[in-house]
């Protein structure tokens, strides 16, 4: 579906690890022809490059060079989801200067006519977004979902490793000093613990459709 040219729509999707934000954001992006940015991949990309360049001691000149290399292809690297990268990503994301460097990238992206940004503080960063989703899910269910996904890429990974990495990531993100993981004011909360993908898709689709009708009437689709 394509929206009419006069329509402007900004959606944010936040959550802890493996609660459904990425799956929902990809679905909505495709369904409503929205430009998608997965902010967590920006931090994973930095963490991966710091680890495998043996520069775990933060070097901002190096980080700025890495940020300039960010492109769609680089962000599709399956190695960005390895447990050690997941764990170190939380440490990287705690650093205010790094968040500031990436924030300008995110803000520029949000200025596109129709955009959806997903991550762990997008609703906080963009408080005036048309819709701010916040996804919730139990740790056990989230770990099983992420394990099933990672097992396709890494046969040796264990559920215990995945659960530990998710638990650490959520704890660090929720307690960091700058832009902690929390429910944005006015957010629509979607608990995916007992929802399958189709049920979740139906729920978020109806919410976005309702917002479009409220703002632009029923003729928001391009013919």
């Amino acid at each position: 579906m394509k929206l009419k040219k006069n329509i402007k729509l900004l959606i944010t999707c936040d959550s802890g690890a493996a609660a459904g934000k990425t799956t929902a954001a990809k679905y909505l992006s495709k369904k409503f022809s929205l430009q998608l940015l997965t902010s967590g991949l920006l931090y994973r990309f930095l963490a991966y490059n710091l680890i495998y360049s043996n520069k775990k001691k933060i070097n901002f000149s190096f980080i700025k060079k890495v940020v300039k290399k960010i492109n769609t292809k680089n962000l599709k690297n399956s190695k960005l989801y390895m447990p050690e990268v997941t764990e170190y990503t939380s440490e990287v994301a705690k650093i205010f200067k790094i968040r500031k460097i990436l924030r300008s990238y995110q803000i520029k992206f949000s200025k596109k006519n129709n955009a959806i940004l997903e991550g762990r503080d997008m609703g906080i960063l963009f408080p005036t977004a048309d819709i701010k989703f916040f996804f919730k899910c139990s740790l056990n269910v989230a770990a099983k979902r992420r394990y099933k996904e990672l097992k396709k890429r890494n046969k040796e990974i264990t559920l215990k490793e995945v659960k530990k990495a998710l638990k650490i990531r959520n704890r660090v993100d929720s307690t960091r000093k700058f832009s902690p993981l929390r429910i944005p004011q006015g957010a629509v909360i979607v608990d995916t613990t007992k929802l399958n993908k189709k049920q979740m898709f139906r729920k978020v689709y109806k919410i976005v459709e309702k917002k479009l009708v409220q703002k632009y009437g029923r003729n928001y689709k391009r013919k």
Side-chain angles (χ1 to χ4, degrees):
M1 175 198 308
K2 289 191 176 182
L3 304 177
K4 286 185 175 179
K5 290 184 178 179
N6 66 311
I7 289 176
K8 290 187 177 181
L9 183 66
L10 178 61
I11 299 173
T12 62
C13 296
D14 293 343
S15 80
K21 65 182 179 296
T22 304
T23 301
K26 286 180 179 178
Y27 166 78
L28 291 173
S29 170
K30 186 176 181 180
K31 200 70 179 177
F32 293 95
S33 299
L34 308 175
Q35 301 275 357
L36 171 64
L37 175 64
T38 298
S39 70
L41 287 178
L42 304 179
Y43 294 98
R44 284 180 178 275
F45 185 69
L46 282 183
Y48 172 79
N49 277 272
L50 287 166
I51 290 172
Y52 291 97
S53 298
N54 293 316
K55 293 182 181 293
K56 289 188 78 171
K57 184 176 180 181
I58 300 301
N59 181 312
F60 291 107
S61 60
F62 175 76
I63 286 171
K64 287 177 182 178
K65 289 178 183 177
V66 171
V67 171
K68 289 179 181 178
K69 295 178 183 178
I70 294 175
N71 58 46
T72 304
K73 185 179 179 180
N74 287 336
L75 296 180
K76 288 182 178 179
N77 185 350
S78 62
K79 292 181 180 179
L80 301 185
Y81 291 94
M82 294 190 298
E84 59 266 37
V85 175
T86 296
E87 191 170 336
Y88 191 51
T89 294
S90 288
E91 297 302 315
V92 169
K94 283 196 301 184
I95 301 169
F96 178 71
K97 195 168 180 179
I98 289 178
R99 301 192 73 82
K100 192 174 180 181
I101 291 169
L102 290 177
R103 186 162 293 180
S104 58
Y105 183 97
Q106 295 163 347
I107 290 172
K108 184 179 178 181
F109 189 93
S110 75
K111 296 185 184 299
K112 297 176 184 288
N113 266 7
N114 298 300
I116 182 165
L117 297 94
E118 63 100 344
R120 292 172 179 243
D121 65 345
M122 294 295 95
I124 304 299
L125 182 56
F126 301 102
T128 59
D130 295 288
I131 302 171
K132 293 170 285 187
F133 285 111
F134 188 90
F135 296 86
K136 294 171 62 178
C137 182
S138 72
L139 178 61
N140 285 335
V141 172
K144 287 176 183 176
R145 287 175 180 169
R146 181 56 58 83
Y147 172 71
K148 186 177 179 180
E149 174 189 331
L150 295 180
K151 192 71 174 174
K152 297 174 184 176
R153 305 167 187 162
N154 180 2
K155 300 295 183 183
E156 296 180 3
I157 199 167
T158 66
L159 177 59
K160 186 177 180 180
E161 286 177 323
V162 174
K163 186 174 180 179
K164 181 182 177 183
L166 295 190
K167 189 175 182 179
I168 291 172
R169 180 87 198 271
N170 286 337
R171 184 178 68 246
V172 173
D173 287 353
S174 298
T175 57
R176 68 184 176 223
K177 185 176 180 181
F178 304 107
S179 296
L181 171 66
R182 59 185 174 86
I183 301 173
Q185 187 174 0
V188 178
I189 300 173
V190 180
D191 190 334
T192 66
T193 304
K194 296 180 180 179
L195 296 180
N196 59 37
K197 285 185 181 181
K198 285 186 178 180
Q199 290 170 327
M200 180 180 70
F201 290 161
R202 194 180 304 120
K203 190 178 183 78
V204 296
Y205 177 88
K206 286 182 178 179
I207 292 168
V208 175
E209 184 181 47
K210 184 178 179 181
K211 174 60 71 173
L212 285 169
V213 171
Q214 286 175 344
K215 284 189 73 176
Y216 299 101
R218 296 200 172 275
N219 297 318
Y220 60 84
K221 301 176 187 177
R222 217 188 274 186
K223 294 181 180 179

